Amino acid sequence: MLGEFNLIDEIKKRFPTPDGVTGIGDDCAILPQHSDRETLVSTDMLMEGVHFLMDDVSPYDLGWKSAAVNVSDIAGMGGRPEGCFLSFALPKTLNDNWLLQFIDGFKALCDRFACPLLGGDTTSSLDRLCISVTVLGSSVKQLPGQAWTPGSARRRSDARSGDLICVTGNLGDSAAGLKAVLDSAGNSSASNCPSSSAAAILRERHYRPIPQVEAGLVLSATPEVHAMMDISDGIGSDLRHILKASEVSAEVDVNSIPLSKELIQFCSEQSTDDCDPLTFALDGGEDYQLLFTATPAAVEALKAKGLRFYVIGRITGACSACQLTWLNTDRDFHGFTHF
Ligand code: ADP
Ligand code: MG
């Protein structure tokens, strides 16, 4: 066993601290202040048995995903990741190889988004693995009296009547990928599901989500992009957060929901009828695409900038009841909830 301090040393070796920053090794990390920027902070916990099953996920993928879901929260505000903190409670049954592979996956995501690991905490757990990641980001300081300073953080509460509702990519792949994982682990009644190339791609999307940082930066740089968030619980749930925070109602056309060809193929291959692409897309979580609202003029400007996104609905009016209407279906969708 590496033990606590050797493990921290191994982590420290792998995460050199950027110039001007004090990272792993002291009581606190020290980051420089920028007078023209604001700090964004988010934290997320991943609990064995709740968010992942040890037998179903590789340590590398779990490391990647632990970092990705946090960096995605910075992307959801249109910010730039600046650094992160990794705390874990480790059961004694985990071997060193597992831990180092976890760190490799975590580092691969951090390197891709220039989000250095600056500290954390390491402790033991009697039973299960618990991972907590905190991420720091930055955005341009909002100018007083101005509605949308370019580069400023976009909140859930700023959707306006007449806005179009958009998403940056396909929905449902991650939820279908999770079903493929559980089916092949024999945890489902549909254990006769074929394991196809589509299922393999969906599994990869479940375990290696890609935070939409670049898209978020383009969106926050565009005036009249109003409300924004990342999609972690499915838009049946996440869009309702925007509606509630903004006190508006919306309609979404289920025929405009972007679905990948792999999702369509996967669902058509299933022998049971509990595999509906729209259910995965609207009720399933963990796609980590961005959900945003913007004026029709801003949507045109974003198309001209070459950003890839899909218009799925519109904000219909101010309304304290925040009603969500699904067009072209008689079903209702509520996303994923933990409790
Ligand atoms: P303290 O007792 O002062 O809190 P620790 O021994 O917990 O210090 O941590 C020593 C240093 O190692 C700190 O800089 C801390 O941020 C860092 N650290 C501890 N665990 C981790 C981890 N899992 N990942 C990254 N850095 C860590
Ligand atoms: Mg500590």
Side-chain angles (χ1 to χ4, degrees):
M1 268 299 264
L2 277 169
E4 177 186 347
F5 294 113
N6 288 332
L7 175 61
I8 295 173
D9 282 346
E10 289 301 318
I11 295 175
K12 186 174 158 68
K13 262 192 240 162
R14 288 165 171 74
F15 289 90
T17 304
D19 288 346
V21 173
T22 300
I24 298 171
D26 216 315
D27 289 326
C28 287
I30 309 176
L31 285 102
Q33 296 268 317
H34 305 282
S35 58
D36 58 334
R37 298 189 74 81
E38 296 178 314
T39 303
L40 312 175
V41 188
S42 178
T43 189
D44 252 311
M45 192 179 276
L46 287 97
M47 189 72 207
E48 181 187 345
V50 178
H51 298 97
F52 60 92
L53 300 171
M54 280 308 231
D55 289 344
D56 292 343
V57 61
S58 75
Y60 187 98
D61 285 348
L62 188 59
W64 173 286
K65 192 163 177 175
S66 304
V69 302
N70 280 273
V71 169
S72 177
D73 281 323
I74 301 294
M77 307 292 286
R80 185 182 296 287
E82 301 282 357
C84 60
F85 294 80
L86 166 64
S87 299
F88 37 33
L90 304 169
K92 295 205 166 53
T93 46
L94 280 185
N95 64 43
D96 294 344
N97 190 34
W98 192 100
L99 285 170
L100 295 177
Q101 283 184 43
F102 175 93
I103 299 298
D104 282 348
F106 194 92
K107 180 173 160 55
L109 190 288
C110 290
D111 287 351
R112 176 158 171 174
F113 292 98
C115 183
L117 181 64
L118 300 175
D121 200 21
T122 306
T123 177
S124 63
S125 157
L126 292 181
D127 182 14
R128 304 202 168 190
L129 171 64
C130 178
I131 302 157
S132 170
V133 179
T134 300
V135 62
L136 303 182
S138 73
S139 60
V140 172
K141 198 172 265 177
Q142 172 78 50
L143 294 175
Q146 229 188 50
W148 343 267
T149 305
S152 63
R154 299 307 147 103
R155 296 172 167 79
R156 299 177 180 190
S157 52
D158 287 333
R160 306 200 188 164
S161 188
D163 279 358
L164 298 176
I165 301 168
C166 311
V167 293
T168 53
N170 293 326
L171 303 180
D173 285 0
S174 176
L178 177 60
K179 176 170 168 52
V181 169
L182 296 177
D183 284 353
S184 58
N187 285 346
S188 159
S189 56
S191 51
N192 56 344
C193 288
S195 178
S196 66
S197 60
I201 290 168
L202 296 173
R203 259 186 235 134
E204 164 104 4
R205 297 207 176 121
H206 177 70
Y207 281 133
R208 301 264 185 100
I210 308 210
Q212 298 299 304
V213 173
E214 291 87 357
L217 289 168
V218 171
L219 288 163
S220 67
T222 306
E224 299 186 329
V225 169
H226 291 151
M228 183 152 79
M229 67 184 295
D230 73 327
I231 304 174
S232 55
D233 294 334
I235 63 164
S237 167
D238 290 330
L239 180 55
R240 282 178 223 269
H241 292 315
I242 287 182
L243 302 185
K244 191 168 173 215
S246 304
E247 298 190 346
V248 290
S249 288
E251 60 187 26
V252 169
D253 181 354
V254 297
N255 291 341
S256 345
I257 301 297
L259 305 171
S260 72
K261 62 179 191 308
E262 291 82 11
L263 177 61
I264 308 276
Q265 188 191 329
F266 175 76
C267 289
S268 71
E269 285 165 355
Q270 303 298 300
S271 52
T272 54
D273 57 9
D274 62 346
C275 261
D276 164 50
L278 270 186
T279 306
F280 286 126
L282 304 178
D283 276 339
E286 303 201 302
D287 285 311
Y288 300 105
Q289 295 294 333
L290 301 180
L291 171 65
F292 65 95
T293 79
T295 60
V299 164
E300 288 311 312
L302 288 164
K303 281 186 191 154
K305 282 185 183 177
L307 185 75
R308 177 177 169 235
F309 66 99
Y310 306 87
V311 176
I312 60 166
R314 65 188 187 95
I315 303 292
T316 46
C319 170
S320 54
C322 56
Q323 200 177 354
L324 175 52
T325 307
W326 304 98
L327 304 179
N328 290 314
T329 180
D330 51 11
R331 297 169 56 199
D332 198 4
F333 303 91
H334 286 274
F336 178 81
T337 48
H338 283 281
F339 296 101

